[in-house]
Amino acid sequence: MCYEPDAVPPVHGSPITTVTSERLVLTSADGANFAAHLSRPGHASGPAVLVLPDNRGLSGFYERLTERLAEQGHTALVIDYFGRTAGTGPRTADFPFMEHLGKAHKDGLFADIAAGVAHLRAESDKEIVSLGFCFGGRLAFMTARPAFGVAGTIGLYGYPDVLFGNPGPTQMAGELRGPILGLFAGADEGISPEVVSAFGQALEGAGVAHEFVTYAEAPHSFFELGRPELAEACADAWSRILGFLKRTARGDLTSPRAATMQD
């Protein structure tokens, strides 16, 4: 997993609006129920955001993240992955998420994501952007397929290549649509620069608008409050996420770019 149970997301400036939040139970296409957490801004001023968590599924970190997004004017919904095997109730810090991850299947995951998109569409008349972390970052890149109907995708440290024999976003590049924002960690032991470069080349070859940023000294899961040495990377990531949301709403992210930031 990316984050310990007591981890919290970084904060981006002062709130620009009020926020109300609630825990939900949504229903997937196959009738399975799964948990979600929704945060609504008092005044919505930008795209809605579907948050896809790391491999631990729904946790306090991502619930707080939806609130941080809503504070900046974005209706935000985070979904869980394990409703079919672990139910819809709150979980303790020792939740054996890896056992449940092994039982999660692609069709169910994608059906749950589609149900999350549908719920956001009912909540908001704004465009929808997917935002994922680690395992959820990989899934977010995959939601760039037209079938999901999102206006843009953002993935933080999502592994894009073949994983356990399953094709990843790199292999699916021809099926994807931009814009895509990828934020990667230069000191991530699990995602090499070569893997990121291959993903970028595949997107470029497929004509998919994208922007990649690598934070040179940052580790995997750097986007977290309480780590002063990563504060600059967190602030820049927030700025790029919110800027991407704004540009996606205007439809003006059209050309691929890549950058490396020294944090």
Side-chain angles (χ1 to χ4, degrees):
M1 66 178 175
C2 281
Y3 298 108
E4 296 298 329
D6 60 350
V8 293
V11 177
H12 175 81
S14 300
I16 66 171
T17 186
T18 57
V19 175
T20 57
S21 298
E22 63 176 317
R23 188 178 178 92
L24 304 174
V25 175
L26 303 183
T27 303
S28 197
D30 63 356
N33 292 330
F34 61 95
H37 183 90
L38 176 71
S39 292
R40 301 181 182 92
H43 173 68
S45 55
V49 182
L50 178 70
V51 178
L52 302 175
D54 61 50
N55 54 12
R56 192 173 185 270
L58 182 61
S59 69
F61 180 94
Y62 297 102
E63 292 174 351
R64 301 292 81 73
L65 180 61
T66 66
E67 294 168 6
R68 300 291 82 80
L69 288 161
E71 288 174 352
Q72 302 303 318
H74 303 282
T75 302
L77 176 77
V78 58
I79 65 169
D80 185 47
Y81 303 131
F82 308 128
R84 292 170 182 78
T85 58
T88 61
R91 294 167 190 153
T92 60
D94 60 354
F95 171 64
F97 62 93
M98 289 302 294
E99 294 179 16
H100 294 275
L101 184 65
K103 300 174 185 176
H105 298 288
K106 177 181 65 175
D107 290 346
L109 291 168
F110 287 157
D112 295 351
I113 290 170
V117 170
H119 189 84
L120 271 179
R121 192 160 283 126
E123 284 281 342
S124 172
D125 60 358
K126 308 291 186 182
E127 297 279 14
I128 299 172
V129 171
S130 60
L131 167 64
F133 295 74
C134 188
F135 178 69
R138 179 180 174 88
L139 290 175
F141 293 142
M142 293 180 177
T143 66
R145 288 185 293 172
F148 288 99
V150 299
T153 60
I154 306 170
L156 281 81
Y157 23 89
Y159 189 73
D161 212 338
V162 174
L163 188 63
F164 302 120
N166 298 309
T170 299
Q171 290 71 42
M172 297 167 56
E175 304 175 40
L176 307 183
R177 300 293 181 270
I180 293 174
L181 174 63
L183 302 181
F184 297 96
D188 191 332
E189 296 181 358
I191 305 177
S192 69
E194 292 76 17
V195 165
V196 174
S197 178
F199 184 30
Q201 290 172 15
L203 292 176
E204 186 170 358
V208 180
H210 64 283
E211 177 184 4
F212 285 180
V213 178
T214 297
Y215 297 90
E217 302 301 325
H220 189 82
S221 69
F222 67 83
F223 192 73
E224 179 183 353
L225 187 67
R227 302 182 68 176
E229 74 280 11
L230 299 175
E232 184 179 354
C234 288
D236 186 80
W238 254 130
S239 178
R240 292 179 186 274
I241 290 168
L242 295 175
F244 180 90
L245 292 172
K246 184 178 294 185
R247 297 196 309 277
T248 299
R250 297 199 305 258
D252 64 355
L253 182 58
T254 57
S255 59
R257 293 185 288 157
T260 298
M261 178 186 171
Q262 300 290 339
D263 53 353

